[in-house]
Amino acid sequence: MMLNSYVPNRIRRYAFAGLAIGLLTTLAMYAGDVFAGVSSIRTSFGGASLTPSQMLAIAASCLALLLGAAGFRHAKLSRQLAGERARAEALHHAAYHDSLTGLRNRHALSEDAAALSAKAAGRRVAVLLFDLDRFKLINDTLGHAAGDEVLKVLGARIAEACHPDQLVYRLGGDEFVVMWRDAPCEAAIGRFCTRLSTAVFRPVDFGQGALDTSGSIGIALSDAGSFRLSDVLKQADLALYRAKETPGLSHSFFSEEMDNAYRIRRDLEADMRSGLNSGAFGVEYTPSYRSGIANASMRQPSGFSARLTWHHPQHGDISPESFMPVAEESGLILMIGKWMLGEVLLAAQSWSKTTEIVVPVSPAQLSEPGFPDLVTSMLTNTGIAPHRLVCDVCTSAIPESNVAALAAVAKLRKAGVKIAVSEFSAGIAGLAMTRPHRVDRVRLDLAHIRNIAGDDRLAQMLGLFLDLARVVDTTVTVTGVDTPADLESARAAGATEVEGCIAGPALDRSEVAAMFAATEARLAG
């Protein structure tokens, strides 16, 4: 027992035991010869006389030494092999597991899926694709340490909520996958996803506070015998895209209709890319006027609101409402927005120096690093005074949690650029004095207000907004004023600036230039 305690390695114990036995045997034989007085049989060895028992003792000692040396050598080799085995296991674990969450990774998913597809058909497999909402915002505003903590906690929650037939993986970024072998019916999968979402998407403690989390799940089903990972992941991704259209925690199953919609969206993206290069995009300008005018066609506009147009070679004119959501989701909005801003500022060089230019700005542009610098650089290059440019944004694009967008708004306003919000909710939120950022203008859509209030209460509701605007000293532009009746409603409510087709349809770049040229000629005459 003592040997076990002091020499835990088994091979070393055997070596020590053999060496001890050899030494004890030698001593015992030598002592026996001394006491027995054995001297009759001696053999000369290296000039010394040895008895047979002494020779056996020496042989036993040599054998014990050899065994001991072999034992120590074996122990050393065992340690080396154990070290190599541990390093190999560490490399294998690193190759098949995510370093941040400890979950199995994409490589492991590929091998597991290949092994699963080799099995007999008849076993249904469900692939659940998780995606977090606003994860990039967490990284951008709170740093990657916060993002890493969220991923670790959510990965652990997913793994804890799954049973052995549900294998959990992290694909990378904020994407997690659960591969469910022998999956039940869709109703049971849906109930599981509801419970899983509730268990996983809960606040995560970080620092002195907690980070709210939310997300969606896309689900694709396949037979094990025909399981192809790339196809099923694409289907789950399409289902996830559909799930994200539903506010809050949601999940969605893949359907063929989604695949058709994906092909249409993919073709639309390709057409937009080629349209930018071929000159298929354009800009039309809707004028705004002071509402006290008697005849809009006889007065110079106070400003123009730019609207993107796209003439598709096969489908003709496509409205921004149809293609802008795809542009924002694909990231093309950054390229399109930059092109549009440059086009508008070049056109405005020939306008009156007092005419404002209203340009829509997407949430993606506001969150893009360097956007304010891009705007100020383009203003400098075109010679347009910053106070003439009005960036029209959705109020939802600049919440308190979007630090990057708030910083962009502040930097643009500091440079002299004006900020306007143009959602109906901006009528209240945009005028509130407790907003996390200041706005210079609110743009209220007359048609939207009419749909809510009706013709009878249109002037009353519009008047309430305008009274609030005067209290907080914020300018309001009433948009969608297209008819004399619209103009009269805006005037009755006290609007001072209106925008719409009251003086005719929207104009292209050459028509706006011609309008200013005619005005200059009339003033000169």
Side-chain angles (χ1 to χ4, degrees):
M1 294 297 293
M2 291 180 61
L3 195 60
N4 288 348
S5 300
Y6 289 105
V7 188
N9 185 280
R10 186 178 61 181
I11 302 300
R12 286 190 173 187
R13 288 202 302 269
Y14 291 156
F16 277 119
L19 184 59
I21 291 171
L23 292 174
L24 290 174
T25 301
T26 302
L27 291 174
M29 288 185 175
Y30 182 76
D33 285 346
V34 171
F35 285 107
V38 177
S39 59
S40 58
I41 302 175
R42 294 180 179 278
T43 302
S44 177
F45 182 78
S49 296
L50 300 175
T51 64
S53 58
Q54 289 174 334
M55 293 178 63
L56 289 174
I58 291 172
S61 299
C62 291
L63 180 61
L65 289 172
L66 289 174
L67 290 175
F72 282 108
R73 175 63 177 168
H74 190 280
K76 182 179 180 181
L77 291 175
S78 297
R79 289 197 306 273
Q80 291 177 344
L81 289 174
E84 293 294 335
R85 189 180 299 112
R87 284 190 288 272
E89 290 175 355
L91 290 173
H92 183 273
H93 187 275
Y96 286 87
H97 291 79
D98 174 52
S99 61
L100 178 64
T101 63
L103 298 174
R104 292 172 68 77
N105 59 15
R106 183 184 290 271
H107 183 53
L109 174 61
S110 299
E111 289 203 0
D112 292 347
L116 190 63
S117 63
K119 296 182 179 180
R123 301 178 63 185
R124 185 155 70 162
V125 180
V127 170
L128 284 58
L129 180 61
F130 289 72
D131 184 77
L132 307 183
D133 295 335
R134 302 181 302 278
F135 178 69
K136 184 177 183 298
L137 182 61
I138 294 176
N139 274 338
D140 291 345
T141 58
L142 300 176
H144 289 279
D148 289 348
E149 182 65 18
V150 168
L151 293 176
K152 285 191 290 186
V153 172
L154 265 59
R157 289 175 182 174
I158 295 173
E160 183 180 358
C162 292
H163 55 68
D165 274 341
Q166 298 167 327
L167 304 179
V168 183
Y169 309 84
R170 181 191 174 206
L171 295 190
D174 60 338
E175 287 188 330
F176 296 86
V177 165
V178 174
M179 187 167 66
W180 190 345
R181 300 171 296 189
D182 293 326
C185 64
E186 289 191 10
I189 295 174
R191 290 192 295 270
F192 171 78
C193 288
T194 300
R195 295 194 303 271
L196 188 62
S197 295
T198 303
V200 172
F201 297 120
R202 294 182 284 112
V204 174
D205 292 333
F206 182 77
Q208 301 299 317
L211 304 176
D212 290 329
T213 63
S214 63
S216 306
I217 305 175
I219 310 158
L221 302 174
S222 176
D223 181 80
S226 58
F227 185 80
R228 292 186 58 187
L229 180 62
S230 58
D231 293 342
V232 178
L233 280 180
K234 188 188 82 169
Q235 293 171 359
D237 189 55
L238 294 175
L240 178 65
Y241 176 83
R242 178 62 58 84
K244 282 185 171 294
E245 295 178 353
T246 303
L249 304 179
S250 60
H251 62 268
S252 179
F253 287 87
F254 170 77
S255 66
E256 291 299 327
E257 175 267 331
M258 296 179 188
D259 199 28
N260 295 332
Y262 167 74
R263 291 192 180 95
I264 294 173
R265 191 166 65 250
R266 183 188 59 194
D267 293 342
L268 196 61
E269 286 182 28
D271 291 344
M272 280 191 285
R273 291 182 188 275
S274 62
L276 275 175
N277 298 325
S278 64
F281 284 97
V283 180
E284 64 180 18
Y285 301 91
T286 302
S288 57
Y289 297 93
R290 305 301 177 193
S291 62
I293 58 175
N295 185 349
S297 62
M298 298 300 293
R299 299 288 299 273
Q300 179 174 298
S302 56
F304 286 91
S305 177
R307 182 176 183 269
L308 191 67
T309 63
W310 181 22
H311 184 79
H312 193 280
Q314 283 81 40
H315 305 296
D317 292 331
I318 302 179
S319 68
E321 291 75 18
S322 298
F323 66 82
M324 286 301 284
V326 178
E328 291 181 6
E329 293 158 9
S330 64
L332 284 173
I333 187 63
L334 299 177
M335 297 171 55
I336 294 174
K338 180 180 179 180
W339 174 87
M340 181 181 184
L341 180 61
E343 176 71 14
V344 171
L345 293 180
L346 287 174
Q349 288 178 318
S350 63
W351 302 356
S352 166
K353 303 303 181 184
T354 61
T355 306
E356 288 187 338
I357 316 141
V358 182
V359 180
V361 174
S362 74
Q365 288 175 281
L366 275 182
S367 300
E368 180 71 8
F371 177 71
D373 294 332
L374 172 67
V375 173
T376 54
S377 174
M378 296 178 80
L379 287 169
T380 301
N381 293 337
T382 54
I384 303 296
H387 69 270
R388 293 180 58 194
L389 178 62
V390 180
C391 288
D392 182 15
V393 303
C394 295
T395 187
S396 59
I398 38 179
E400 291 186 56
S401 57
N402 193 337
V403 177
L406 291 175
V409 168
K411 194 169 184 178
L412 287 170
R413 294 189 77 251
K414 185 177 181 180
V417 177
K418 297 175 183 176
I419 302 295
V421 289
S422 60
E423 287 180 338
F424 175 73
S425 58
I428 298 175
L431 296 175
M433 299 179 69
T434 57
R435 288 191 62 82
H437 59 86
R438 289 182 57 84
V439 295
D440 301 286
R441 183 166 307 165
V442 172
R443 294 163 54 80
L444 294 176
D445 183 11
L446 189 64
H448 197 163
I449 298 176
R450 178 182 283 114
N451 289 337
I452 296 174
D455 287 325
D456 295 339
R457 294 185 299 168
L458 174 63
Q460 181 181 4
M461 179 171 284
L462 185 56
L464 289 175
F465 286 129
L466 294 173
D467 288 341
L468 177 59
R470 281 189 286 270
V471 170
V472 296
D473 194 24
T474 302
T475 303
V476 176
T477 300
V478 180
T479 65
V481 179
D482 299 332
T483 66
D486 292 339
L487 180 59
E488 184 56 35
S489 296
R491 281 175 175 167
T496 57
E497 185 175 69
V498 298
E499 176 188 298
C501 298
I502 182 65
L507 308 174
D508 61 24
R509 177 174 176 173
S510 61
E511 290 171 331
V512 176
M515 171 188 289
F516 280 105
T519 301
E520 290 179 2
R522 187 168 59 251
L523 293 174

